[in-house]
Amino acid sequence: MKSAHEREQLIKDINVLLTQAYDSTLDEIHALLKRIDDVDDEEDLKAIKEAREDIRINGTVSWDEIQNEIRNDINKDVV
């Protein structure tokens, strides 16, 4: 994941290129970004369905179990 400064600079660089682009290029970029967004949405929905199916098959995990797992992971990182 990029830092806030890196993201800001990247967005500025993209904006410079976008202002120089032909309209047809802007249309293509828009369509591409829309497809990427749609794919991301599909992947999110698939992950949700898989998680619900896993819960249906295996049951749920209690909050205490999650907290213990987090504590164990933190302790492993510290050691």
Side-chain angles (χ1 to χ4, degrees), residues 1-47:
M1 179 156 223
K2 296 189 180 300
S3 69
H5 176 71
E6 289 171 323
R7 280 183 59 85
E8 189 176 310
Q9 186 58 48
L10 184 58
I11 290 169
K12 285 179 183 178
D13 293 344
I14 290 170
N15 280 329
V16 167
L17 294 172
L18 289 174
T19 58
Q20 298 170 358
Y22 292 111
D23 288 343
S24 60
T25 303
L26 292 175
D27 291 338
E28 291 175 24
I29 292 169
H30 182 263
L32 178 61
L33 290 173
K34 182 70 176 130
R35 281 196 309 263
I36 291 170
D37 191 44
D38 290 346
V39 168
D40 287 346
D41 289 346
E42 288 175 16
E43 289 174 355
D44 290 344
L45 289 173
K46 182 180 176 187

